[in-house]
Amino acid sequence: MANVENLGTLERRVSMSLPADDIEKQVDERLKKLARSVRMPGFRPGKVPLKLVAQTYGPQVRSEVMSDAVQKSFSNAVKEANLKVAGYPQIERKNDLEFSATFEVYPVVKVGDLAESGRAVNAYRLFPYEMAKVIGAAQPFLEIALGLLLLVGV
């Protein structure tokens, strides 16, 4: 579950709580998968007891699962709220399964109708020789841009 708060004009905070059952289930799945391939002295590959694997690698696996779950929860909350995140969120841990992410969003820019502004819009007429002059001046830059596009494979 996630809750989106408005902290200012562009700043938002998402509070997330992760389900403990899902976290424990994923940790167990990853530990079992890891136990099939882990090598430890005194054991054949893949024959290390799960309890020993959990004791050795448990905190690291739990940290990875929590990180993935927080990232997934944050992405889902942002999509649901239809927000465009600017930059990286600052994630704070409230307790074991609750987190908050503070971040900024892009501002909403509304472009008004220029005809309603009351300002006169000047229209200029370009003659063919003037257009040729502008195109001729821009041609080296266009060739470089085209070369880069071809190099990148676009």
Side-chain angles (χ1 to χ4, degrees):
M1 277 179 41
N3 180 24
V4 180
E5 298 175 51
N6 231 350
L7 299 179
T9 55
L10 298 177
E11 196 170 15
R12 305 286 187 273
R13 178 183 295 142
V14 175
S15 300
M16 304 166 276
S17 61
L18 305 175
D21 298 339
D22 291 346
I23 298 296
E24 293 305 320
K25 182 180 174 185
Q26 289 179 14
V27 168
D28 289 341
E29 288 175 4
R30 287 195 188 187
L31 284 173
K32 287 177 185 175
K33 186 177 178 182
L34 183 63
R36 286 185 244 143
S37 61
V38 73
R39 292 179 175 255
M40 287 189 136
F43 297 97
R44 292 182 292 163
K47 299 297 181 182
V48 180
L50 186 60
K51 186 175 180 180
L52 190 57
V53 173
Q55 186 178 13
T56 306
Y57 298 104
Q60 180 182 353
V61 169
R62 183 172 176 77
S63 175
E64 290 174 3
V65 168
M66 292 288 283
S67 177
D68 292 347
V70 167
Q71 185 177 5
K72 185 177 179 182
S73 179
F74 176 74
S75 295
N76 289 341
V78 167
K79 283 182 185 176
E80 285 177 17
N82 198 21
L83 299 172
K84 294 182 181 178
V85 178
Y88 294 103
Q90 180 182 3
I91 298 186
E92 302 165 2
R93 186 179 212 154
K94 292 181 179 178
N95 61 33
D96 197 32
L97 295 174
E98 291 184 9
F99 296 86
S100 68
T102 306
F103 59 96
E104 291 186 349
V105 294
Y106 287 107
V108 177
V109 178
K110 295 179 182 176
V111 179
D113 188 15
L114 292 177
E116 294 176 5
S117 68
R119 294 182 181 218
V121 177
N122 296 330
Y124 294 100
R125 185 173 178 185
L126 287 178
F127 294 102
Y129 69 89
E130 291 174 322
M131 290 192 311
K133 188 176 175 182
V134 170
I135 292 172
Q139 187 173 3
F141 299 109
L142 295 174
E143 289 174 356
I144 291 171
L146 180 62
L148 288 174
L149 289 173
L150 293 174
L151 182 66
V152 172
V154 176

